[in-house]
Amino acid sequence: MDDEIICIGCGAVLQSDDPKKAGYLPAAALKKAEAGETDNVYCQRCFRLRHYNEIMPVDLNNDDFLALLNSLATKKALVVNVVDLFDFSNSLLASLKRFVGDNEFILVGNKFDLFPLNSRQSRIKDWMRQEANRMGLYPSKIFLISAARQKNLDELIEYLDQASQDRDIYFVGMTNVGKSTLINAIIDKMGDIKDVITTSRFPGTTLDRIEIPLENGHHLIDTPGIMSTNQLATRLNAADLEVVSPKKPIKPATFQLLPGNTIFLGGLGRIDYLKGQSTSFTVYAARGVKLHRTKTANADDFYQKHVGELLTPPTGENYLPALKGQEYHTDYKSDLLFGGVGFVTVPKDCVVKTYTPDKIGLGIRRALI
Ligand code: GDP
């Protein structure tokens, strides 16, 4: 065949000379296409755009997904749970413990770029390990990375490269943790990815997964993201989600407070200072989340009146469930968690009550900073 072959996605002539130019496809895949072994060929870029927008999230109770997880226990595999460091507890897949079997399990904490620059990696990892252990998960390694900013990826890739010598690698994660971004970054960086990536169906199911063949004969396997109503990300509309998702490291905002004061994190979170000394609370949230201080006595009315306009997001009509709260006593300097929105650092010996819509993402941990 001497004709040029065209990418059916973008119409560029397929070529394997320059990965940076239009129409790039690794040589082996182009050869197959030239030999007529594959039709409907996409260039690497179109393939990614297409598949990473198409792979549909599933519910954790989806039978096909459970079957896929079940199949893990009978294989030699490395299981990689990608989690969002800003919504860690909700993106850790506790149910994995039933499926991992004797396989090795690692945690990849993504969006590390958002943590303030003075954060201590060892503390963050300790906290992740404790939380994972509490849920019966025992990661052999924990990585802190930024998929979007391509930070700390080399160490992870080296690890995956090593592990893939004798087994496949399965990526699992909730939606919005950045799993697609990570896999794209790995494809970009890992030199020996063999061919064009293929989507495949897990045998006997309707579930699509993406298999990325490696030179060594093993695969990286991307499973669908899992949706959960416990993640704020699945409750927010696209515009508000954009506002909540910080793009740059988070800048703390400090408030001097007395008991009887309340801070709102837009319309998404509220913290009441109930008992303690005059002290300061430090809020870590995306810049787009509007912070407001008010008196606790007026806070309900303030919220009713201003949610959607002063207190944003949500923007405009409030489409979220009512705020519900939980009380905490800080035995040591602690971070009060507002999963997916941020956290508030509070000194030792304070009694506070924190709220989110339907209590989504509430929690506490020993202060990281
Ligand atoms: P998936 O649903 O797990 O596949 O997640 P995506 O890869 O689509 O990413 C979800 C959101 O997180 C997008 O808005 C990404 O831009 C963002 N994101 C992904 N990785 C990072 C990261 O390393 N840092 C930051 N700040 N945002 C990220």
Side-chain angles (χ1 to χ4, degrees):
M1 219 165 83
D2 48 12
D3 278 359
E4 289 171 329
I5 305 179
I6 303 250
C7 165
I8 66 163
C10 62
V13 175
L14 294 176
Q15 51 89 18
S16 58
D17 301 327
D18 187 348
K20 299 225 154 36
K21 292 218 171 100
Y24 176 76
L25 192 64
L30 184 57
K31 225 183 234 154
K32 274 195 194 163
E34 282 168 348
E37 287 171 30
T38 38
D39 339 304
N40 296 342
V41 189
Y42 289 93
C43 70
Q44 198 175 57
R45 181 170 174 279
C46 285
F47 182 91
R48 288 183 202 161
L49 287 176
R50 209 171 93 83
H51 288 294
Y52 285 118
N53 290 328
E54 263 185 11
I55 190 165
M56 294 296 287
V58 297
D59 193 87
L60 188 55
N61 299 317
N62 177 301
D63 288 342
D64 289 346
F65 192 73
L66 291 176
L68 172 71
L69 290 183
N70 260 323
S71 77
L72 281 178
T74 63
K75 299 190 172 113
K76 192 161 179 277
L78 170 66
V79 182
V80 182
N81 186 184
V82 185
V83 294
D84 179 344
L85 288 172
F86 264 77
D87 199 7
F88 175 60
S89 308
N90 290 311
S91 56
L92 189 64
L93 264 172
S95 43
L96 269 183
K97 67 171 181 287
R98 280 186 285 146
F99 304 109
V100 169
D102 292 333
N103 282 314
E104 187 188 346
F105 166 73
I106 66 172
L107 274 179
V108 174
N110 187 32
K111 311 195 186 179
F112 182 56
D113 55 305
L114 299 178
F115 269 74
L117 295 172
N118 54 347
S119 316
R120 292 236 296 274
Q121 299 204 22
S122 58
R123 274 208 198 177
I124 298 175
K125 286 186 183 175
D126 286 348
W127 158 64
M128 291 170 74
R129 190 175 296 282
Q130 278 164 17
E131 287 289 300
N133 292 355
R134 221 159 48 89
M135 295 191 185
L137 289 168
Y138 297 91
S140 64
K141 277 286 264 187
I142 297 177
F143 293 90
L144 302 178
I145 60 142
S146 166
R149 304 261 171 272
Q150 310 224 337
K151 260 170 99 175
N152 292 358
L153 282 184
D154 291 343
E155 195 196 342
L156 171 65
I157 288 175
E158 205 180 298
Y159 196 79
L160 298 179
D161 195 34
Q162 203 57 44
S164 70
Q165 297 306 321
D166 60 358
R167 60 205 141 144
D168 290 341
I169 298 179
Y170 283 76
F171 290 85
V172 292
M174 307 299 281
T175 52
N176 207 54
V177 300
K179 185 158 63 70
S180 313
T181 310
L182 173 63
I183 289 177
N184 274 328
I186 291 175
I187 294 172
D188 266 346
K189 285 208 151 206
M190 214 156 151
D192 69 343
I193 283 172
K194 196 171 75 179
D195 232 61
V196 75
I197 318 139
T198 54
T199 42
S200 69
R201 205 144 268 189
F202 178 62
T205 74
T206 56
L207 192 75
D208 278 333
R209 57 186 190 164
I210 292 182
E211 293 196 354
I212 303 157
L214 303 171
E215 284 294 355
N216 61 26
H218 292 281
H219 292 82
L220 305 181
I221 294 158
D222 184 16
T223 66
I226 303 155
M227 296 267 264
S228 156
T229 49
N230 256 333
Q231 276 177 297
L232 193 69
T234 63
R235 304 287 193 97
L236 291 178
N237 68 30
D240 287 336
L241 183 58
E242 184 71 26
V243 173
V244 172
S245 314
K247 300 281 173 288
K248 297 190 198 141
I250 288 193
K251 272 224 178 112
T254 299
F255 292 81
Q256 199 61 38
L257 295 185
L258 287 167
N261 289 157
T262 286
I263 305 168
F264 280 103
L265 287 75
L268 301 175
R270 160 176 167 180
I271 178 164
D272 296 348
Y273 188 15
L274 302 179
K275 276 189 219 146
Q277 310 281 323
S278 163
T279 187
S280 58
F281 286 13
T282 306
V283 182
Y284 295 85
R287 287 157 218 233
V289 176
K290 295 283 183 302
L291 305 179
H292 274 274
R293 183 220 309 248
T294 182
K295 289 209 159 56
T296 305
N298 305 333
D300 286 344
D301 287 347
F302 189 83
Y303 181 80
Q304 289 309 332
K305 204 159 150 204
H306 295 300
V307 63
E309 38 99 358
L310 264 181
L311 299 176
T312 59
T315 314
E317 181 107 24
N318 182 18
Y319 54 89
L320 293 166
L323 294 186
K324 288 194 187 142
Q326 172 144 349
E327 229 176 89
Y328 294 96
H329 178 273
T330 57
D331 295 329
Y332 28 76
K333 187 180 167 195
S334 302
D335 295 334
L336 277 305
L337 307 178
F338 298 79
V341 180
F343 56 92
V344 180
T345 305
V346 172
K348 184 172 183 267
D349 286 331
C350 295
V351 181
V352 297
K353 188 167 181 182
T354 57
Y355 306 70
T356 55
D358 247 352
K359 295 193 185 181
I360 296 170
L362 287 181
I364 188 167
R365 71 177 170 220
R366 199 179 268 272
L368 290 183
I369 295 157

